[in-house]
Amino acid sequence: MPINTNALIQSALSQNRAIDQVESRIGSVILLWCFIPDADTQQVLIRGRDATTDILTQEEATRSSRLYRLITENTTDLISRHAPDGRFIDATPASWRLLGYWPEELRGQRLEDIFSGHQTDTLFAETRQKLRDDGYATMTLQITHKNGARRWLEIASRAIRETYTGAVVEVISVSRDITARIESEEQNRLLADELAHTARLATLGELASSIAHEMNQPLASIVNFASASQRFLRKRDQHPEQLSKVDDGLQKIVHHANRASEVIKRLRAFLRNGKKSMGPVALNTVISDVSRLCQWEADKHGVKILRQLAHEDPVVTADPILLEQVLINLIRNGIEANVDACDKQTETRSSRILVSTLINDHHETLIVVTDEGPGLDEEGIRQMFQPFYTSKPKGLGLGLSMSRSIIEGFGGFLDALPAETGGLSLICRFPNTPNTNPTHKQEPFNA
């Protein structure tokens, strides 16, 4: 019985009305009491029943409802319900912040009318197909807020199906504003591009002697053939048969002038600062160009650059300028490693760097740069790709970490392994592509 039973009896009699739903608890049992007065006899009928299950169920429902309202009214993500055709059934108040519409404004509206933006119709069609097939879909799209601002949303949707037919009867979506993340990623990309461009400028400054040598060869040939042609022209009256040599000299002048022009074009392309331009790149050609550019520096230090290239030129998808930048970094690192090894020895000797291309048994395309330097232990190999880590007194420690980032941007990976030469093999690994060439096995590179 309730502890205030006497008071309840007096109230029922004085008011001449039944008092219902009076709760009392005895341990884990919940009872509901009803007090029914009889005015004629001034007596009260008291009836009680066990309502434990009903009360606990109601309390759980109240807690769930309170939690649901707390989440939906305060979450920064938009949670929305949609009909199979995409029309809004309901939405949380976050719709005002993300879209500029209150939930009551969205009910019955088409997705295409609210999420207006570039290629949204195509994205919605693809998403509906995925929901029908898989029951779950995500998409990232740029939309126009009601106030005209452009925003990026990431939307995850799940289909609710009819039990027996499996047909989609409703879709629940969670939309998140990722504008700040997209802008941050774009800013990071721009900074990475600017850093790569600055590194190319620094690299060309360090390769100034090699560039001068690359230009001096065709220019010297042009001067020699021009001088010879002048001599033949001065003697044309006495030796008219030598005019044919003038024609040959002019052809060679044109050839070497074009060669010098190609060098300048390559340097201008290497220095360009623009968006990454992905496309098919023939590795053997790129490696030959880069080796020639680094040859003068290698010759100064008594280092030979050897090439062991696949018979059928492997092709990968990459930005050719950024790939050249990576290869120049790897070859120059190899040259410096060889110089360090020679400095530690009493007698001077020539050393070698091997640049090879091959396709392994997993149909991955590899570029391997192997030096004869002092090598590194496992901890040194792990640290060498960390930004700002360097063993060089004047180094910045960005070359290898940037090179790895560039290769990863192509979908590949850059790693290092101890080589049989005692030095290191730096390996650019590119995934299998439809343009995969027949396997070319690499012969061991022995010192």
Side-chain angles (χ1 to χ4, degrees):
M1 298 284 285
I3 59 174
N4 58 341
T5 297
N6 291 333
L8 290 169
I9 291 173
Q10 294 301 321
S11 295
L13 289 173
S14 63
Q15 298 175 22
N16 195 28
R17 67 176 183 84
I19 299 176
D20 197 12
Q21 303 294 313
V22 178
E23 182 182 317
S24 69
R25 302 197 179 205
I26 304 173
S28 60
V29 179
I30 303 174
L31 300 173
L32 287 180
W33 301 90
C34 181
F35 295 80
I36 305 172
D38 184 349
D40 296 334
T41 62
Q42 289 295 297
Q43 292 181 334
V44 175
L45 174 64
I46 302 174
R47 185 180 65 191
R49 69 182 181 87
D50 186 347
T52 305
T53 302
D54 294 344
I55 295 295
L56 292 179
T57 301
Q58 184 179 359
E59 288 178 349
E60 181 62 30
T62 302
R63 282 194 297 270
S64 298
S65 176
R66 188 180 297 116
L67 178 61
Y68 171 77
R69 290 189 59 185
L70 182 67
I71 293 173
T72 57
E73 292 179 6
N74 293 280
T75 182
T76 56
D77 294 344
L78 167 61
I79 303 173
S80 52
R81 297 170 56 206
H82 302 269
D85 64 356
R87 293 182 183 274
F88 279 87
I89 298 175
D90 205 353
T92 59
S95 61
W96 172 254
R97 185 181 67 86
L98 265 66
L99 305 175
Y101 297 90
W102 290 110
E104 52 269 22
E105 295 180 87
L106 291 175
R107 295 187 185 109
Q109 295 289 334
R110 296 170 62 247
L111 280 171
E112 289 80 359
D113 296 334
I114 302 300
F115 291 91
S116 58
H118 181 58
Q119 292 185 336
T120 51
D121 290 354
T122 303
L123 280 172
F124 290 143
E126 293 174 352
T127 299
R128 290 189 185 109
Q129 183 63 44
K130 288 181 181 178
L131 287 170
R132 284 193 293 270
D133 295 343
D134 305 327
Y136 183 80
T138 60
M139 61 178 169
T140 301
L141 73 161
Q142 189 179 33
I143 60 105
T144 303
H145 192 276
K146 190 178 180 181
N147 63 12
R150 304 291 289 177
R151 289 188 175 179
W152 284 93
L153 295 184
E154 185 178 70
I155 305 175
S157 302
R158 184 174 292 279
I160 308 299
R161 298 185 184 274
E162 204 276 330
T163 304
Y164 298 103
T165 64
V168 177
V169 295
E170 190 174 313
V171 175
I172 305 296
S173 296
V174 178
S175 305
R176 173 169 295 180
D177 187 345
I178 58 169
T179 305
R181 189 180 84 192
I182 295 292
E183 291 176 348
S184 176
E185 289 173 353
E186 177 64 16
Q187 184 65 26
N188 289 340
R189 187 194 65 78
L190 292 175
L191 289 174
D193 289 346
E194 188 62 33
L195 183 59
H197 180 240
T198 303
R200 289 199 294 275
L201 289 172
T203 300
L204 281 185
E206 295 168 358
L207 289 174
S209 59
S210 298
I211 295 168
H213 178 71
E214 184 83 354
M215 290 296 297
N216 279 337
Q217 282 187 328
L219 291 176
S221 299
I222 289 171
V223 171
N224 289 336
F225 286 115
S227 299
S229 297
Q230 284 180 323
R231 290 197 303 273
F232 292 136
L233 284 173
R234 282 195 293 268
K235 298 178 181 179
R236 64 183 180 276
D237 295 333
Q238 295 86 354
H239 304 283
E241 71 280 359
Q242 291 186 347
L243 288 177
S244 60
K245 295 182 179 180
V246 175
D247 180 66
D248 181 63
L250 292 175
Q251 290 181 17
K252 286 184 170 61
I253 288 173
V254 170
H255 168 74
H256 289 287
N258 287 333
R259 179 183 165 190
S261 175
E262 284 298 318
V263 173
I264 293 171
K265 284 199 296 187
R266 280 209 318 272
L267 294 176
R268 289 182 63 185
F270 188 72
L271 286 174
R272 71 169 171 80
N273 187 19
K275 290 185 176 180
K276 187 163 62 176
S277 178
M278 299 287 284
V281 178
L283 292 186
N284 290 357
T285 303
V286 172
I287 289 171
S288 297
D289 291 341
V290 169
S291 299
R292 190 163 59 246
L293 193 59
C294 296
Q295 188 62 59
W296 183 252
E297 183 176 1
D299 290 342
K300 280 196 306 182
H301 298 290
V303 178
K304 293 181 180 179
I305 300 177
L306 306 179
R307 297 192 295 270
Q308 191 176 71
L309 307 179
H311 299 306
E312 295 196 21
D313 197 351
V315 175
V316 299
T317 301
D319 181 308
I321 303 304
L322 291 177
L323 183 57
E324 283 188 10
Q325 183 174 354
V326 170
L327 293 176
I328 288 175
N329 281 337
L330 300 188
I331 292 175
R332 295 186 69 235
N333 268 282
I335 293 172
E336 292 172 359
N338 283 17
V339 172
D340 289 343
C342 290
D343 289 344
K344 295 175 182 178
Q345 296 176 357
T346 54
E347 73 277 2
T348 59
R349 65 178 183 89
S350 62
S351 59
R352 301 183 297 173
I353 290 174
L354 178 67
V355 184
S356 58
T357 57
L358 64 144
I359 298 171
N360 64 16
D361 294 333
H362 300 291
H363 302 292
E364 296 172 318
T365 302
L366 307 182
I367 305 173
V368 184
V369 180
T370 303
D371 62 55
E372 294 180 339
L376 292 172
D377 58 16
E378 185 176 341
E379 179 65 18
I381 291 175
R382 186 185 64 80
Q383 291 181 331
M384 68 187 292
F385 292 104
Q386 294 178 359
F388 305 109
Y389 174 81
T390 179
S391 57
K392 306 169 190 173
K394 297 182 180 180
L396 293 177
L398 289 175
L400 287 176
S401 64
M402 185 185 303
S403 296
R404 174 176 274 186
S405 297
I406 291 172
I407 296 298
E408 288 176 350
F410 301 154
F413 190 70
L414 173 61
D415 203 2
L417 292 173
E420 294 180 3
T421 61
L424 285 179
S425 288
L426 291 164
I427 305 168
C428 297
R429 191 184 309 273
F430 297 90
N432 180 24
T433 65
N435 293 326
T436 297
N437 297 282
T439 303
H440 171 74
K441 298 293 185 180
Q442 181 186 13
E443 296 298 326
F445 176 44
N446 300 315

